[in-house]
Amino acid sequence: MLTRRHIRVKVMQCIYALTQSKDDSLEKQEKFLRYSIDSMYTLYLLELSLLIELHQRASEQLKLSSKKYLASNEDQYPDQEKFVKNGLLLKIVRNEALKEELKKRKLNNWYLNEEYVRIIYKEMIESEAYAAYMQSGSQSFAEDKDFLVLLFKDTIAPNEKIYDYFEDDKLTWVDDFPIVNTFVLKLLKKAKESHPESFFLPRLLKDEDDMKFAKKLLTKTLLKEAEWNKEIEGKTPNWDKDRIADIDAILLKMAICELLNFPSIPEKVTINEALEIAKEYSTPKSSIFINGILDKLVKEYKSTGKLNKIGRGLM
């Protein structure tokens, strides 16, 4: 679920939080790193559970409409139960492993905040996509999947109320939200009728090596900060700590640490990752500044034999 770039961002956020709080406790930062990574999975589960709550809401509305004496908008559709019979949605709703995971983590957020479910449900039934889907005379897994993908992409993911709710719940989710949204969207697109329940409960990290990478990058960057600062000073004669953006300084230290302490990761990967993260999280000119310094350092490390790389490397 998480790529190495996401992990690097998490490490960067931890170091930034430490510099802002002036707290030099490495143990606290390691715990925060693990918590921050685990929280992404909680966010993923909450987004899936929102689909479950939408199904529940639709089912309840169907029961209410059956008792009405006046016609409603739903009456115009050939099959008023089409949405609640959506094949892909039912795979999520009936997923016992997912239910158990939600129960274990005590994730009943939408039950306690029903207004957000009502907001999404109202937007959904008023959308053109919903009308087109419900007016279709047929029902297939492919059609059901196409609609659910559209529902998530056009209604749930960009909803500002949902975004504000997640931001208020956990500040770290501000950066996680687009990452998790993209993952959920890809998951829904790849879903097949034959997929087992485990398909909807992917591993957060590819393997334990990813967590080891995160911890090592965090600790090595922090413990050898003075050494990394000297490396940067050597390539910036007029270096002024106060004039370099905090994020730029952190990304430079992380990249230097990675160049010298992770032999299986090619230098091109390290530099590219630092530049891409800088473009996303720092100033417009940050990537040019960072690239210039890292390019000089790599040339120096190669000429002095300080840079030792092995294998094909990891992304």
Side-chain angles (χ1 to χ4, degrees):
M1 183 174 173
L2 287 185
T3 66
R4 284 289 175 98
R5 182 175 299 172
H6 298 148
I7 292 171
R8 288 180 176 93
V9 169
K10 287 296 178 186
V11 172
M12 177 197 74
Q13 290 170 340
C14 283
I15 297 174
Y16 181 78
L18 183 145
T19 58
Q20 295 300 305
S21 66
K22 310 299 181 183
D23 187 342
D24 60 357
S25 171
L26 183 58
E27 185 180 356
K28 283 184 181 179
Q29 291 311 311
E30 287 180 339
K31 287 181 179 178
F32 179 70
L33 175 63
R34 182 81 224 193
Y35 170 78
S36 180
I37 290 174
D38 286 342
S39 290
M40 285 192 74
Y41 203 71
T42 299
L43 179 58
Y44 163 74
L45 291 171
L46 284 174
E47 293 207 2
L48 278 194
S49 69
L50 181 55
L51 292 173
I52 295 174
E53 292 301 323
L54 273 179
H55 182 271
Q56 178 65 26
R57 176 77 179 173
S59 298
E60 291 170 355
Q61 291 301 116
L62 268 177
K63 291 177 182 177
L64 288 174
S65 65
S66 67
K67 298 176 181 179
K68 291 180 180 178
Y69 296 98
L70 296 174
S72 66
N73 290 337
E74 296 291 314
D75 294 333
Q76 63 182 301
Y77 302 130
D79 183 359
Q80 295 176 39
E81 297 182 355
K82 184 173 182 179
F83 176 70
V84 298
K85 293 192 297 185
N86 183 291
L88 177 53
L89 184 57
L90 285 176
K91 283 186 72 68
I92 298 171
V93 171
R94 294 170 177 171
N95 191 314
E96 293 301 323
L98 175 59
K99 289 179 186 178
E100 187 60 32
E101 191 66 28
L102 291 169
K103 183 180 178 181
K104 183 174 72 175
R105 293 173 180 252
K106 298 179 181 179
L107 298 179
N108 57 350
N109 299 50
W110 306 123
Y111 175 77
L112 300 172
N113 298 276
E114 290 182 357
E115 66 271 23
Y116 294 101
V117 180
R118 290 197 296 269
I119 289 169
I120 295 296
Y121 179 76
K122 185 174 183 294
E123 284 192 23
M124 178 187 76
I125 63 174
E126 291 176 354
S127 69
E128 292 182 3
Y130 179 79
Y133 171 69
M134 294 296 287
Q135 283 170 352
S136 168
S138 60
Q139 182 153 26
S140 66
F141 188 84
E143 185 188 15
D144 290 346
K145 180 169 75 171
D146 287 344
F147 172 69
L148 210 61
V149 166
L150 208 58
L151 169 64
F152 187 83
K153 181 169 70 76
D154 294 346
T155 303
I156 298 176
N159 189 277
E160 291 185 6
K161 298 280 187 186
I162 297 294
Y163 177 87
D164 290 342
Y165 169 74
F166 284 136
E167 182 181 17
D168 290 341
D169 196 325
K170 282 185 178 64
L171 191 57
T172 58
W173 280 349
V174 173
D175 292 319
D176 297 343
F177 196 50
I179 296 171
V180 174
N181 278 344
T182 301
F183 181 80
V184 172
L185 193 60
K186 287 181 178 179
L187 189 88
L188 294 175
K189 288 180 178 179
K190 290 179 181 178
K192 295 180 180 179
E193 204 165 1
S194 58
H195 273 145
E197 289 189 343
S198 58
F199 174 78
F200 295 97
L201 291 169
R203 293 172 64 94
L204 176 62
L205 299 172
K206 186 175 66 175
D207 50 42
E208 192 55 35
D209 286 345
D210 279 347
M211 198 63 225
K212 290 178 181 177
F213 166 76
K215 287 182 178 179
K216 184 179 177 181
L217 182 59
L218 175 69
T219 56
K220 291 284 187 181
T221 301
L222 291 175
L223 292 176
K224 294 189 175 183
E225 184 179 16
E227 183 180 334
W228 311 144
N229 281 336
K230 287 181 182 179
E231 295 284 349
I232 298 170
E233 285 178 19
K235 294 296 168 286
T236 51
N238 301 316
W239 192 55
D240 182 348
K241 290 182 181 180
D242 296 330
R243 294 183 62 187
I244 296 181
D246 289 341
I247 295 297
D248 293 359
I250 292 168
L251 288 175
L252 278 169
K253 293 169 194 174
M254 286 172 57
I256 296 169
C257 173
E258 196 172 303
L259 286 169
L260 300 178
N261 290 278
F262 294 82
S264 63
I265 302 178
E267 67 268 15
K268 288 183 179 179
V269 171
T270 296
I271 294 174
N272 183 62
E273 291 293 277
L275 299 183
E276 290 303 315
I277 294 172
K279 289 175 185 176
E280 184 73 23
Y281 292 92
S282 198
T283 68
K285 294 182 179 179
S286 291
S287 60
I288 299 172
F289 171 69
I290 291 172
N291 186 54
I293 294 177
L294 293 180
D295 185 56
K296 291 177 184 177
L297 286 171
V298 166
K299 288 177 181 176
E300 179 185 301
Y301 294 157
K302 284 183 176 179
S303 65
T304 60
K306 201 173 181 179
L307 192 68
N308 297 305
K309 295 294 182 180
I310 57 172
R312 297 176 62 187
L314 301 167
M315 273 298 289

